[in-house]
Amino acid sequence: MKGLLTAAALSLAVSDVSAHYIFEQLTTGGSKHAVYQYIRKNSNYNSPVTDLTSNDLRCNVGASGSGTDTVTVQAGSSFTFTSDTPVYHQGPTSIYLSKAPGSASDYDGSGGWFKIKDWGADFSSGQATWNLGSDYTATIPSCIPAGDYLLRIQQLGIHNPWPAGIPQFYVECAQITVTGGGSANPATVSIPGAFKETDPGYTVNIYTNFHNYTVPGPSVFTCSGNDNGNGGNPPATTTSVKPPASTSTKPPASTSSAPSGGNGCTVAQWAQCGGKDYTGCTVCASGSTCKVTNDYYSQCV
Ligand SMILES: *[C@@H]1O[C@H](CO)[C@@H](O)[C@H](O)[C@H]1NC(C)=O
Ligand SMILES: [Cu+2]
């Protein structure tokens, strides 16, 4: 079974390797720094990490501190991670921090991590949309202690639903020295360890009855978080479709978001268009064609 999954994952990785994305650039203090200047360079080109037990989940494969500079960042200031190619696999993006016991460049990420930002699914249109792009901007919490940290971005591609497919972690770490700050003590988790095969945000099939989503990992730490027994962290980032406004006499007009198996609907590129038990739309948007990945999953490519 393990071997089967690995083989499936491999064929997925190979089939669309050309246009994956790497978060290779950091902007701080209004300056966009050189590629890999402050971001640890990985050795696996643009491939994702898929092993939930691997230390590569921290900062990606082959990404060590040697040859990477550390940038000074004011607590409370914003920063941006920029990818070489716009993110296109559907799924959430999160930002984590881990305090280094010494210098960031010497730190392997084996200590505690806390999450400072989630971009989950937005259901406000009645259909899930994700924040997919090249730039992900967030703020260093103003209350965390000064010192060296690893600043980690994680985009989780959940476009090949578990268990036929395997979610993909696109991760990179920047090395930062936080100045200013305060004395907050955020609750932390370990990586690997923070993500499990049982997380609903990991196992969910985004193509079938997808109406709510919880981003994997711990809840987001904020300086203003009330203490709810969660180390000052608010609840996990969960979004869902708003219940329909109570209404009217007329049944809703059928919309393009309803699966309708081929009456005029189209499937966006990279989305599912077929597979065992799949009942949705099978017509790919123009410019893409439906390609079989395995018995359970075909994708518009
Ligand atoms: C959606 O909500 C249900 C009910 O709370 C929950 O069991 C499920 O895990 C959620 N799904 C996701 C993908 O977060
Ligand atoms: Cu891919």
Side-chain angles (χ1 to χ4, degrees):
M1 193 57 188
K2 198 73 188 166
L4 242 166
L5 292 173
T6 307
L10 216 79
S11 78
L12 289 172
V14 168
S15 66
D16 70 349
V17 77
S18 57
H20 284 167
Y21 30 90
I22 313 170
F23 299 101
E24 59 180 18
Q25 252 181 309
L26 185 72
T27 298
T28 59
S31 303
K32 190 172 191 175
H33 307 297
V35 168
Y36 294 124
Q37 183 178 0
Y38 298 114
I39 291 178
R40 293 185 173 185
K41 187 165 174 24
N42 56 296
S43 61
N44 57 338
Y45 185 41
N46 58 16
S47 298
V49 178
T50 56
D51 181 350
L52 291 177
T53 66
S54 170
N55 288 344
D56 293 339
L57 267 187
R58 293 172 189 160
C59 293
N60 208 347
V61 178
S64 76
S66 74
T68 311
D69 295 335
T70 301
V71 66
T72 298
V73 180
Q74 180 75 31
S77 71
S78 72
F79 62 89
T80 302
F81 278 100
T82 302
S83 57
D84 60 336
T85 297
V87 171
Y88 64 90
H89 284 322
Q90 296 176 79
T93 301
S94 305
I95 307 273
Y96 287 79
L97 276 168
S98 182
K99 192 155 190 326
S103 73
S105 60
D106 289 340
Y107 180 43
D108 63 2
S110 56
W113 293 84
F114 58 101
K115 186 155 71 173
I116 60 168
K117 179 73 182 174
D118 270 339
W119 291 271
D122 177 2
F123 291 95
S124 58
S125 70
Q127 195 174 2
T129 57
W130 304 92
N131 181 18
L132 306 181
S134 298
D135 293 329
Y136 291 85
T137 297
T139 301
I140 303 292
S142 57
C143 60
I144 62 170
D148 277 18
Y149 289 80
L150 291 177
L151 175 65
R152 172 180 181 274
I153 185 166
Q154 166 184 305
Q155 200 268 341
L156 179 59
I158 52 174
H159 53 296
N160 294 321
W162 179 263
I166 189 163
Q168 305 177 342
F169 290 82
Y170 295 89
V171 290
E172 222 73 45
C173 292
Q175 298 178 181
I176 66 171
T177 301
V178 173
T179 57
S183 57
N185 187 18
T188 61
V189 295
S190 296
I191 300 176
F195 314 107
K196 304 197 174 58
E197 275 178 18
T198 48
D199 293 341
Y202 180 87
T203 58
V204 67
N205 185 324
I206 60 171
Y207 309 111
T208 307
N209 290 324
F210 183 44
H211 301 303
N212 62 293
Y213 187 75
T214 302
V215 179
S219 53
V220 172
F221 169 81
T222 60
C223 293
S224 59
N226 296 321
D227 192 343
N228 54 8
N230 196 17
N233 293 352
T237 302
T238 300
T239 49
S240 63
V241 174
K242 285 209 180 69
S246 75
T247 59
S248 81
T249 51
K250 240 172 76 176
S254 73
T255 66
S256 60
S257 65
S260 53
N263 2 330
C265 61
T266 54
V267 178
Q269 191 176 21
W270 312 119
Q272 186 172 14
C273 52
K276 194 169 180 291
D277 301 334
Y278 175 72
T279 56
C281 215
T282 57
V283 180
C284 291
S286 72
S288 60
T289 55
C290 194
K291 188 164 167 279
V292 174
T293 300
N294 55 46
D295 287 352
Y296 295 88
Y297 193 77
S298 298
Q299 188 180 30
C300 292
V301 295

